[in-house]
């Protein structure tokens, strides 16, 4: 079945151009010209990806992204923006967007980003039901429901924090550089934005570690990157 893509973009010429090229790749494409219409469509129907402009009439792309990430269902989001400053780029990524393209961009670049996101989604198993619950000490991760609990209490993670934790949990003991984490979790090379990984690690630790300064789960490997602790290191009476 062809993947469905929703484009929320108020520039009709750009939206129609993107739709034409995506349809040439056999994607099903629907368009929304303002934020309110786009959000309603995204929340009322299933899409495999949302291509979302940052500046929209009605409600902006940042708020749409935030609202979509509050839902249990996960839809990949590729953000478009005319702003090029670093803070805008990092903000777009950290609220849960899967990738971020600055206007003007080439159609070939955008198509490459779309394909890269779909590849990551498939590699992470989001296109199939994943039911195995992962337990590490008192930390429980439910990939299917995208929920995390610690000592039987729900942990409120952003979409990106959950993706990062799940990636670590699938590879306990394996060391990842910041660049590898960007490629695997964010789904595309974001050269020069390794500090984004650091900030996510810090926020994740603040939520799942009893003492973030002395973490049990997400460990720093000095001079290299990070790793998730191996299961055997967490054996004890508090296991979930």
């Amino acid at each position: 079945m062809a993947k469905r893509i929703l484009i929320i973009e108020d520039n009709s010429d750009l939206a129609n151009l993107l739709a034409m090229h995506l349809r040439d790749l056999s994607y099903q494409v629907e368009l929304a010209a303002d934020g309110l219409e786009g959000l309603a469509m995204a929340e009322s129907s299933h899409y495999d990806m949302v291509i979302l402009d940052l500046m929209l009439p009605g409600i902006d792309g940042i708020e749409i992204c935030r609202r979509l990430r509050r839902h249990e269902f996960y839809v990949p989001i590729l953000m478009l923006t005319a702003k090029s400053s670093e803070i805008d780029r990092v903000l777009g990524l950290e609220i849960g967007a899967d990738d971020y393209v600055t206007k003007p961009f080439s159609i070939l670049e955008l198509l490459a980003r779309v394909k890269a996101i779909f590849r990551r989604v498939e590699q992470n198993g989001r296109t199939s039901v994943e039911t195995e619950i992962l337990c590490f000490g008192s930390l429980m991760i439910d990939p299917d429901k995208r929920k995390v609990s610690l000592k039987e209490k729900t942990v409120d993670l952003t979409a990106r924090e959950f993706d990062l934790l799940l990636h670590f949990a699938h590879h306990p003991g394996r060391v990842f550089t910041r660049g590898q984490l960007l490629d695997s979790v964010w789904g595309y090379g974001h050269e020069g934005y390794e500090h984004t990984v650091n900030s996510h690690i810090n926020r994740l630790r603040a939520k799942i570690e009893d003492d973030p300064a002395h973490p049990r789960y997400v460990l720093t490997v000095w001079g290299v990157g990070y790793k998730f602790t191996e299961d055997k290191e967490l054996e004890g009476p508090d296991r979930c």
Side-chain angles (χ1 to χ4, degrees), residues 134-153:
L134 305 173
C135 284
F136 300 88
S138 58
L139 180 69
M140 186 275 288
I141 306 168
D142 187 334
D144 187 25
K145 296 181 179 180
R146 293 180 63 82
K147 291 184 177 179
V148 174
S149 65
L150 183 66
K151 298 177 181 177
E152 300 184 350
K153 294 183 179 180

Side-chain angles (χ1 to χ4, degrees), residues 8-221:
I8 309 176
E9 168 62 66
D10 61 327
N11 183 323
S12 60
D13 289 338
L14 176 58
N16 288 320
L17 179 64
L18 294 178
M20 178 183 70
H21 284 278
L22 290 167
R23 287 168 180 152
D24 285 344
L25 295 177
S26 299
Y27 297 121
Q28 293 182 9
V29 182
E30 297 179 28
L31 305 178
D34 66 68
L36 291 173
E37 178 189 13
L39 179 61
M41 292 174 66
E43 290 184 321
S44 62
S45 184
H46 169 75
Y47 294 95
D48 297 290
M49 181 180 295
V50 174
I51 298 178
L52 175 63
D53 190 26
L54 181 64
M55 303 301 294
L56 290 164
I59 181 174
D60 66 27
I62 294 291
E63 183 59 25
I64 292 174
C65 190
R66 285 197 182 103
R67 294 193 189 186
L68 291 180
R69 287 297 178 252
R70 293 173 188 163
H71 294 279
E72 284 196 6
F73 68 82
Y74 181 89
V75 58
I77 296 173
L78 173 61
M79 296 196 73
L80 311 177
T81 180
K83 297 183 178 182
S84 59
S85 68
E86 179 175 319
I87 190 170
D88 290 317
R89 180 181 176 90
V90 173
L91 176 61
L93 294 174
E94 293 190 353
I95 63 166
D98 292 78
D99 204 354
Y100 197 99
V101 180
T102 302
K103 301 176 184 177
F105 52 82
S106 74
I107 294 296
L108 290 178
E109 178 189 6
L110 183 132
L111 296 178
R113 301 287 183 102
V114 169
K115 293 176 182 177
I117 291 173
F118 280 139
R119 282 197 303 271
R120 179 184 60 78
V121 169
E122 290 167 0
Q123 290 168 358
N124 285 354
R126 286 190 179 136
T127 55
S128 62
V129 176
E130 187 175 301
T131 58
E132 181 184 1
I133 294 177
L134 305 173
C135 284
F136 300 88
S138 58
L139 180 69
M140 186 275 288
I141 306 168
D142 187 334
D144 187 25
K145 296 181 179 180
R146 293 180 63 82
K147 291 184 177 179
V148 174
S149 65
L150 183 66
K151 298 177 181 177
E152 300 184 350
K153 294 183 179 180
T154 299
V155 180
D156 185 18
L157 299 182
T158 66
R160 185 68 66 212
E161 290 164 357
F162 180 88
D163 291 344
L164 185 59
L165 177 60
L166 184 61
H167 182 69
F168 275 128
H170 278 156
H171 305 90
R174 179 177 171 182
V175 180
F176 294 96
T177 67
R178 292 166 181 80
Q180 287 172 330
L181 291 171
L182 281 170
D183 287 340
S184 298
V185 178
W186 277 255
Y188 198 86
H190 295 285
E191 184 178 356
Y193 288 87
E194 285 84 358
H195 62 281
T196 300
V197 174
N198 296 345
S199 63
H200 276 78
I201 293 288
N202 291 337
R203 286 199 296 271
L204 182 59
R205 282 174 171 167
K207 294 179 180 181
I208 68 170
E209 303 284 1
D210 291 330
D211 181 1
H214 300 90
R216 295 179 68 202
Y217 298 105
V218 181
L219 308 177
T220 299
V221 180

